Amino acid sequence: MLTYLRNYKYKNYKIKLVIYVLILTIIGILVIGSANEDYQSKQIIGLIIGIVAMVIVSLVDYDFILNFYWIYYGLSIVLLLAVLIFGTTVGGATRWIDVGIRFQPSELCKILLILFFARYLMIYEDEINKPKRLIITIALVAVPLILILREPDLSTTIVTFLIIFTMMFLVGLSSKLIAIFFGVTIPAIGLVILLALRKGQSILSEYQGLRILAWLRPEDYPESSYQQQNSIMAIGSGQFFGKGLYTESVESVKNGNYISEPQTDFIFAVAGEELGFIGTVIIVLLLLAIVIECIVIGRKAKDLSGKLICMGMASFIGYQSFVNICVVTGLMPNTGLPLPFLSYGLTSLVTLFIGMGLVLNVGLQSKKY
């Protein structure tokens, strides 16, 4: 381990990335406290654990970490199977395991799968477009995605797929295969939406179909669309400067309990109401800055696996932020997906900090230009 440490260029420790992450997380803690003060102290504990985990991971050579890539894949499958067998069901979905503390394995699995495919795709970079290797790779991607989909958790399935797909694209996946994929999936998505409008459809589960219907025709499904409609109203009511953190205004959508569990998936709505347009723009810019920093560090990585780790984390934060904000603003159907670094959730927060530790480690070993 000491030999690895001597090779580090500590002047390359990306303090900017650390600052962006800490500012965003602190904003999240403040907004969570305003949304539901019972969760604020727990999120602070998550921040402390996350910082410790980030620092430790950033100082362990990622080459050493990637030596166990098959273990990470196997652990992902075991955790996802455990959810289906022993998991806790909330709101019709089984996504959590309760072992004294409740955690969501699919969040941790995103990091584990990024690590696995960072090494796997580097090893088989030259074979990625060969039929045999492509079939094996598709099978490896499909197994965890099917298990996540079975929970059911369509949004996490889609985001996880996009992360891996982006990594495959960066390795050199054939443009013809990409064109075929989008040529099939885009019409398929349209077909699914059309089928969701038909009564008695069996492709989607009842609650998934209802969410799409509530998104397309909110006036016809008020019991299912109220969350998004109230979220849009909350963001709009914040106007330019917001109502202020911890507002006691009786006109507050948050204070009226019009948004259920506002500290989790709909935290952006609370931020919009209390911090206004200025606050939400700052949040979006901080998320964008973190994504850009991951990409910049990845471009300077000493090898392909380091690049893939950084691009995987950039995709993770970018795609998940995009989907969450689109849901909260009514641009997509309602899904249960946290906003990175802001939403309450110890599993999500600590997992993200571990991912940032991996990116920082890649930066410590960046190549010279």
PDB file of all heavy atoms in Angstrom, residues 80-93:
ATOM      1  N   LEU A  80     -29.223  -7.657  -4.585  1.00  0.00           N
ATOM      2  CA  LEU A  80     -30.487  -7.455  -5.291  1.00  0.00           C
ATOM      3  C   LEU A  80     -31.428  -8.646  -5.114  1.00  0.00           C
ATOM      4  O   LEU A  80     -32.653  -8.469  -5.014  1.00  0.00           O
ATOM      5  CB  LEU A  80     -30.223  -7.196  -6.780  1.00  0.00           C
ATOM      6  CG  LEU A  80     -29.492  -5.881  -7.086  1.00  0.00           C
ATOM      7  CD1 LEU A  80     -29.120  -5.796  -8.561  1.00  0.00           C
ATOM      8  CD2 LEU A  80     -30.350  -4.668  -6.685  1.00  0.00           C
ATOM      9  N   LEU A  81     -30.873  -9.846  -5.046  1.00  0.00           N
ATOM     10  CA  LEU A  81     -31.690 -11.026  -4.751  1.00  0.00           C
ATOM     11  C   LEU A  81     -32.221 -10.969  -3.317  1.00  0.00           C
ATOM     12  O   LEU A  81     -33.378 -11.326  -3.054  1.00  0.00           O
ATOM     13  CB  LEU A  81     -30.870 -12.302  -4.949  1.00  0.00           C
ATOM     14  CG  LEU A  81     -30.636 -12.745  -6.392  1.00  0.00           C
ATOM     15  CD1 LEU A  81     -29.636 -13.897  -6.442  1.00  0.00           C
ATOM     16  CD2 LEU A  81     -31.954 -13.171  -7.051  1.00  0.00           C
ATOM     17  N   ALA A  82     -31.369 -10.516  -2.393  1.00  0.00           N
ATOM     18  CA  ALA A  82     -31.775 -10.413  -0.984  1.00  0.00           C
ATOM     19  C   ALA A  82     -32.945  -9.450  -0.825  1.00  0.00           C
ATOM     20  O   ALA A  82     -33.838  -9.678   0.010  1.00  0.00           O
ATOM     21  CB  ALA A  82     -30.591  -9.960  -0.136  1.00  0.00           C
ATOM     22  N   VAL A  83     -32.969  -8.386  -1.630  1.00  0.00           N
ATOM     23  CA  VAL A  83     -34.079  -7.437  -1.573  1.00  0.00           C
ATOM     24  C   VAL A  83     -35.387  -8.143  -1.931  1.00  0.00           C
ATOM     25  O   VAL A  83     -36.414  -7.978  -1.261  1.00  0.00           O
ATOM     26  CB  VAL A  83     -33.835  -6.251  -2.535  1.00  0.00           C
ATOM     27  CG1 VAL A  83     -35.084  -5.397  -2.643  1.00  0.00           C
ATOM     28  CG2 VAL A  83     -32.685  -5.411  -2.049  1.00  0.00           C
ATOM     29  N   LEU A  84     -35.348  -8.923  -2.994  1.00  0.00           N
ATOM     30  CA  LEU A  84     -36.559  -9.606  -3.458  1.00  0.00           C
ATOM     31  C   LEU A  84     -37.016 -10.663  -2.472  1.00  0.00           C
ATOM     32  O   LEU A  84     -38.225 -10.953  -2.360  1.00  0.00           O
ATOM     33  CB  LEU A  84     -36.308 -10.228  -4.835  1.00  0.00           C
ATOM     34  CG  LEU A  84     -35.980  -9.238  -5.972  1.00  0.00           C
ATOM     35  CD1 LEU A  84     -35.704  -9.986  -7.262  1.00  0.00           C
ATOM     36  CD2 LEU A  84     -37.114  -8.237  -6.162  1.00  0.00           C
ATOM     37  N   ILE A  85     -36.084 -11.261  -1.727  1.00  0.00           N
ATOM     38  CA  ILE A  85     -36.430 -12.349  -0.801  1.00  0.00           C
ATOM     39  C   ILE A  85     -36.779 -11.820   0.593  1.00  0.00           C
ATOM     40  O   ILE A  85     -37.773 -12.227   1.201  1.00  0.00           O
ATOM     41  CB  ILE A  85     -35.273 -13.362  -0.703  1.00  0.00           C
ATOM     42  CG1 ILE A  85     -35.013 -13.986  -2.078  1.00  0.00           C
ATOM     43  CG2 ILE A  85     -35.590 -14.454   0.323  1.00  0.00           C
ATOM     44  CD1 ILE A  85     -33.742 -14.829  -2.143  1.00  0.00           C
ATOM     45  N   PHE A  86     -35.934 -10.910   1.101  1.00  0.00           N
ATOM     46  CA  PHE A  86     -36.081 -10.444   2.489  1.00  0.00           C
ATOM     47  C   PHE A  86     -36.460  -8.972   2.604  1.00  0.00           C
ATOM     48  O   PHE A  86     -36.539  -8.449   3.710  1.00  0.00           O
ATOM     49  CB  PHE A  86     -34.758 -10.649   3.255  1.00  0.00           C
ATOM     50  CG  PHE A  86     -34.212 -12.037   3.172  1.00  0.00           C
ATOM     51  CD1 PHE A  86     -33.064 -12.302   2.428  1.00  0.00           C
ATOM     52  CD2 PHE A  86     -34.823 -13.085   3.821  1.00  0.00           C
ATOM     53  CE1 PHE A  86     -32.540 -13.578   2.346  1.00  0.00           C
ATOM     54  CE2 PHE A  86     -34.322 -14.370   3.754  1.00  0.00           C
ATOM     55  CZ  PHE A  86     -33.172 -14.622   3.012  1.00  0.00           C
ATOM     56  N   GLY A  87     -36.668  -8.319   1.477  1.00  0.00           N
ATOM     57  CA  GLY A  87     -36.836  -6.866   1.487  1.00  0.00           C
ATOM     58  C   GLY A  87     -38.106  -6.367   2.143  1.00  0.00           C
ATOM     59  O   GLY A  87     -39.082  -7.114   2.326  1.00  0.00           O
ATOM     60  N   THR A  88     -38.094  -5.078   2.482  1.00  0.00           N
ATOM     61  CA  THR A  88     -39.240  -4.395   3.079  1.00  0.00           C
ATOM     62  C   THR A  88     -40.025  -3.700   1.971  1.00  0.00           C
ATOM     63  O   THR A  88     -39.454  -2.978   1.153  1.00  0.00           O
ATOM     64  CB  THR A  88     -38.767  -3.343   4.106  1.00  0.00           C
ATOM     65  OG1 THR A  88     -37.996  -4.002   5.109  1.00  0.00           O
ATOM     66  CG2 THR A  88     -39.960  -2.649   4.747  1.00  0.00           C
ATOM     67  N   THR A  89     -41.333  -3.925   1.959  1.00  0.00           N
ATOM     68  CA  THR A  89     -42.185  -3.335   0.931  1.00  0.00           C
ATOM     69  C   THR A  89     -42.801  -2.038   1.437  1.00  0.00           C
ATOM     70  O   THR A  89     -43.394  -2.005   2.510  1.00  0.00           O
ATOM     71  CB  THR A  89     -43.310  -4.306   0.513  1.00  0.00           C
ATOM     72  OG1 THR A  89     -42.718  -5.515   0.015  1.00  0.00           O
ATOM     73  CG2 THR A  89     -44.189  -3.705  -0.564  1.00  0.00           C
ATOM     74  N   VAL A  90     -42.626  -0.982   0.655  1.00  0.00           N
ATOM     75  CA  VAL A  90     -43.196   0.327   0.977  1.00  0.00           C
ATOM     76  C   VAL A  90     -43.839   0.887  -0.279  1.00  0.00           C
ATOM     77  O   VAL A  90     -43.178   0.988  -1.320  1.00  0.00           O
ATOM     78  CB  VAL A  90     -42.120   1.314   1.499  1.00  0.00           C
ATOM     79  CG1 VAL A  90     -42.745   2.674   1.785  1.00  0.00           C
ATOM     80  CG2 VAL A  90     -41.444   0.764   2.741  1.00  0.00           C
ATOM     81  N   GLY A  91     -45.112   1.224  -0.207  1.00  0.00           N
ATOM     82  CA  GLY A  91     -45.794   1.817  -1.353  1.00  0.00           C
ATOM     83  C   GLY A  91     -45.855   0.911  -2.565  1.00  0.00           C
ATOM     84  O   GLY A  91     -45.805   1.389  -3.698  1.00  0.00           O
ATOM     85  N   GLY A  92     -45.928  -0.388  -2.351  1.00  0.00           N
ATOM     86  CA  GLY A  92     -46.036  -1.337  -3.452  1.00  0.00           C
ATOM     87  C   GLY A  92     -44.715  -1.736  -4.079  1.00  0.00           C
ATOM     88  O   GLY A  92     -44.683  -2.527  -5.018  1.00  0.00           O
ATOM     89  N   ALA A  93     -43.602  -1.203  -3.566  1.00  0.00           N
ATOM     90  CA  ALA A  93     -42.277  -1.528  -4.105  1.00  0.00           C
ATOM     91  C   ALA A  93     -41.401  -2.115  -3.005  1.00  0.00           C
ATOM     92  O   ALA A  93     -41.433  -1.670  -1.859  1.00  0.00           O
ATOM     93  CB  ALA A  93     -41.623  -0.282  -4.688  1.00  0.00           C
TER      94      ALA A  93
END
